[in-house]
Amino acid sequence: MKQFGIFYGSTTGTTEEIAKQLAKILGIQNTDVHNVAETTPSVVADYRTLILGSSTWGSGDLQDNWYDFIAGLEAMDLKDKRIAIFGCGDETMSDTFCDAVGKIYDRLQPTEAEFIGSFNTDGYHYDHSDAIRDGKAVGLILDEVNHPELTATRLRQWTSELN
Ligand SMILES: Cc1cc2nc3c(=O)[nH]c(=O)nc-3n(C[C@H](O)[C@H](O)[C@H](O)COP(=O)(O)O)c2cc1C
């Protein structure tokens, strides 16, 4: 079984680009970076750790391509898997910043996977995010719209704690 598989959904390419950067940092091959629009959920069986990425759309919604994929994951027993979530959003959508990260977290709780990769919220500015639980984000949250200059550091910090 391989250690890491990345599964992302991306409408305008931002989360896709972050998925590629994560792959580079973690030494993950391109063939282990999957667009959920073109992947069947059963592929997750190949990996010990699933790195799941979604941007947030609408008003706090999952990226469109995630709906079928996450329904597939929900139906699986993932108790031997680890899950790390990342997401791209826009802090000016101040009541729903990166909500998709929290939505994936909530929906996959019943799979009994182990969740890793919580992240501190220092340096973020928004009113509310579903991604925050007990003062910490349940995954890596990024704002490539307003603060792309912060992304490289955040990626380094987050990935350093994933192994
Ligand atoms: C119509 C629209 C709605 C959006 N809604 C949200 C939102 O509720 N929360 C948020 O954090 N970002 C929101 N965003 C920002 C996107 O998540 C952000 O641009 C992201 O980088 C897009 O990533 P993608 O190209 O991978 O899909 C929205 C953007 C648009 C255009």
Side-chain angles (χ1 to χ4, degrees):
M1 190 182 293
K2 299 180 193 179
Q3 191 182 3
F4 290 117
I6 300 180
F7 298 84
Y8 70 87
S10 182
T11 301
T12 63
T14 308
T15 309
E16 179 176 23
E17 177 56 31
I18 297 298
K20 289 177 182 165
Q21 290 184 38
L22 281 169
K24 203 168 173 191
I25 295 168
L26 290 166
I28 299 171
Q29 300 201 343
N30 288 346
T31 48
D32 296 315
V33 181
H34 305 275
N35 184 339
V36 295
E38 299 158 359
T39 310
T40 172
S42 60
V43 173
V44 303
D46 295 347
Y47 303 98
R48 165 83 173 109
T49 302
L50 315 178
I51 301 177
L52 309 179
S54 175
S55 46
T56 298
W57 284 87
S59 184
D61 301 331
L62 292 175
Q63 192 275 337
D64 271 354
N65 300 320
W66 261 99
Y67 287 95
D68 287 346
F69 196 82
I70 201 164
L73 295 185
E74 282 176 311
M76 296 170 74
D77 174 357
L78 300 177
K79 67 173 176 293
D80 63 339
K81 304 292 182 197
R82 304 191 313 166
I83 291 177
I85 310 170
F86 71 98
C88 296
D90 178 339
E91 280 183 347
T92 67
M93 316 250 175
S94 194
D95 290 322
T96 55
F97 177 54
C98 284
D99 272 11
V101 168
K103 291 209 156 73
I104 292 174
Y105 178 80
D106 286 338
R107 287 187 61 171
L108 296 183
Q109 288 296 320
T111 66
E112 296 187 43
E114 175 192 355
F115 286 83
I116 61 170
S118 62
F119 200 65
N120 77 61
T121 54
D122 297 346
Y124 293 92
H125 303 282
Y126 54 83
D127 291 327
H128 176 84
S129 171
D130 269 359
I132 309 303
R133 307 295 156 92
D134 298 327
K136 285 201 95 177
V138 295
L140 174 64
I141 52 179
L142 298 171
D143 182 351
E144 284 284 275
V145 180
N146 306 293
H147 293 295
E149 78 284 1
L150 300 177
T151 293
T153 305
R154 288 169 172 170
L155 286 173
R156 265 199 309 279
Q157 282 175 352
W158 192 62
T159 51
S160 71
E161 290 169 17
L162 284 191
N163 281 302

